[in-house]
Amino acid sequence: MTAPLSRDFYERPVLEVARELIGCTVECGETAGIVVETEAYHESEPACHAFIGLTPRTRILFGPAGKAYVYRSYGIHALLNAVCEGEGEGAAVLIRALKPVHGLELMRTRRGGLPDEQLCSGPGKLSQALGVTLAHNGTDLARGPIRIRAREPGWGTPGIVAGPRVGISKAIDLDWRFYAAGSRHVSKPLVVKLRSSPRDVRGAREL
DNA sequence: CATGGGATTGACT
DNA sequence: GTCAATCCCATGC
């Protein structure tokens, strides 16, 4: 098992972090999964909550990197983000899908006995499966209760595809969604075929 | 204080 | 394909 990612991993351009989080492991309690899909958000574009500036809600986004930003979506779901960039700069990576690796039985209990590919194949679903709630907002992702660990070194660099973000109405031109090429655990059927072939990833572990 | 709009999901036609 | 559920928070009066 690798070490939890420290603050300096997150204290970088949010697009870099969004790409590099693919293949890392998110754990919460007895459950864990490998990140297969992310989206980047930055205060400079209107789809980001931080676009409106510093408010009680966006306080976490403008704070130090490496914290969890968890907010309620559509009155129902808790969505998990990792705060990025330097203090005073509002940015975060939304974790959108995981490949379940630990605690699958508990995940099935929480998710209604669905097949493995549907346990964490969406931002609301993975929060439900891992037990992530609003109470985790502002907690440190290196210390827990939610932890994100680095990629397993032996697995190689995963193939990563970029495309438009899901479920937003502003800044839809930005290809700030990233997912593991070929993964069966991403949140949507892949409508758009690979627009560019991923780099040579032969030998990389399938996510 | 009242209103409106979601970084979604699952059930239903 | 359509649509309701449900709540936090930003905004405007």
Side-chain angles (χ1 to χ4, degrees), chain A residues 4-191:
Chain A
L5 296 164
S6 60
R7 172 172 164 172
D8 21 299
F9 175 88
Y10 301 98
E11 199 169 345
R12 290 185 297 148
V14 68
L15 287 173
E16 282 181 27
V17 180
R19 283 186 161 274
E20 294 183 25
L21 276 175
I22 304 286
C24 299
T25 302
V26 178
E27 60 181 46
C28 184
E30 303 305 307
T31 57
I34 300 171
V35 179
V36 296
E37 180 179 345
T38 61
E39 284 177 2
Y41 288 87
H42 186 268
E43 63 173 272
S44 60
E45 45 88 16
C48 181
H49 291 168
F51 182 72
I52 58 172
L54 184 59
T55 68
R57 182 198 206 189
T58 62
R59 179 179 100 259
I60 301 291
L61 286 171
F62 287 98
K67 308 282 195 204
Y69 169 56
V70 185
Y71 73 97
R72 187 166 301 294
S73 172
Y74 293 94
I76 302 173
H77 302 103
L79 268 53
L80 171 64
N81 298 253
V83 175
C84 296
E85 307 269 5
E87 218 166 325
E89 189 170 357
V93 173
L94 171 67
I95 311 293
R96 284 195 57 89
L98 305 176
K99 172 183 178 177
V101 289
H102 291 312
L104 273 71
E105 221 170 282
L106 179 52
M107 291 189 192
R108 287 187 204 104
T109 305
R110 291 168 168 164
R111 292 272 305 137
L114 290 166
D116 294 355
E117 304 79 42
Q118 293 171 42
L119 291 176
C120 299
S121 57
K125 298 177 187 180
L126 73 88
S127 292
Q128 195 183 355
L130 299 201
V132 172
T133 71
L134 294 199
H136 293 113
N137 190 36
T139 59
D140 191 324
L141 292 171
R143 306 186 50 164
I146 306 166
R147 282 195 182 81
I148 305 185
R149 297 184 182 277
R151 291 172 181 159
E152 296 287 341
W155 287 4
T157 307
I160 296 174
V161 187
R165 293 175 293 182
V166 177
I168 55 169
S169 56
K170 300 165 197 159
I172 54 179
D173 52 307
L174 301 175
D175 285 346
W176 283 10
R177 178 191 182 207
F178 304 97
Y179 54 89
S183 174
R184 300 189 314 282
H185 301 270
V186 298
S187 70
K188 296 243 163 172
L190 304 176
V191 188

